Amino acid sequence: TTLVMKGESSTTASRFLSSIQSTFTDITDATRTSEMHFSLVNNGIFAEKMRITGAGDVGIGTTSPTKMLTVIKDDATNNAVYQPLWIEHTTSGAAANGIGSGIVLASESSTNTGRMVASISSSFTDVTDATRTSELHLSVMNNAAAVEGLRIIGNGNVGIGTTSPGSKLHVAGDIWGNQ
């Protein structure tokens, strides 16, 4: 089954805008499986942009997602970093130092689901646009409490066990090495 949305372009009365297609990948009653394909027009080319498999895997930029979310950017660029995920925190008030965003990695504990395992977060220490400066924090759980284990501040200093590293590598606590 396909749902097609059409619209008018500047030169033609009716053109495809987008479509949602639902198809069976297995029609056997006991193992019946379906997928949904979402297609859009970009620069005059109509193509599939997202797919949801019967297993619930979502693919953006791929027709065969292998994980819960698979994002693929396929282009001719071979010497640049691609950032497919943009996470932004905005405020209805004026942004202030300390505003930021992050990602929480969670799993189930022995008695509950949705428990934080670790987090990666960032925040501005200076929100002034021309001089904006930020920090990156990595936290893990210890005795059911989030503990920041690593911080990288705007000047490049890295802190382990400290939230205000005063040198390129600042470790609060013992260091062990072996040759």
Side-chain angles (χ1 to χ4, degrees):
T1 303
T2 303
L3 172 63
V4 176
M5 281 66 70
K6 292 183 177 183
E8 295 181 12
S9 70
S10 60
T11 58
T12 307
S14 183
R15 293 275 187 191
F16 285 117
L17 291 175
S18 60
S19 74
I20 301 171
Q21 182 180 28
S22 180
T23 61
F24 281 114
T25 56
D26 183 346
I27 60 171
T28 308
D29 281 341
T31 58
R32 186 176 26 214
T33 306
S34 65
E35 293 183 336
M36 290 186 77
H37 311 162
F38 298 83
S39 300
L40 298 167
V41 176
N42 185 30
N43 292 323
I45 299 170
F46 188 72
E48 183 177 320
K49 303 299 180 185
M50 183 174 79
R51 180 176 295 214
I52 303 174
T53 69
D57 294 341
V58 176
I60 299 173
T62 179
T63 58
S64 53
T66 58
K67 303 289 182 212
M68 192 176 270
L69 177 60
T70 303
V71 179
I72 296 177
K73 172 70 171 175
D74 187 9
D75 62 19
T77 304
N78 62 5
N79 62 349
V81 173
Y82 175 64
Q83 298 168 326
L85 182 62
W86 181 279
I87 298 173
E88 183 173 355
H89 173 198
T90 60
T91 178
S92 59
N97 293 347
I99 191 170
S101 58
I103 299 170
V104 171
L105 306 171
S107 188
E108 62 181 300
S109 66
S110 61
T111 57
N112 291 296
T113 60
R115 295 294 194 192
M116 183 178 131
V117 176
S119 71
I120 301 168
S121 61
S122 61
S123 61
F124 279 117
T125 56
D126 181 353
V127 296
T128 307
D129 202 44
T131 58
R132 65 187 182 276
T133 306
S134 63
E135 300 178 329
L136 179 72
H137 320 116
L138 176 65
S139 298
V140 295
M141 297 301 293
N142 186 25
N143 291 322
V147 177
E148 183 177 309
L150 181 91
R151 180 178 291 215
I152 303 171
I153 62 174
N155 65 5
N157 288 358
V158 176
I160 300 174
T162 178
T163 59
S164 53
S167 58
K168 287 299 175 191
L169 178 60
H170 182 159
V171 178
D174 296 334
I175 299 176
W176 184 84
N178 191 4
Q179 279 189 321

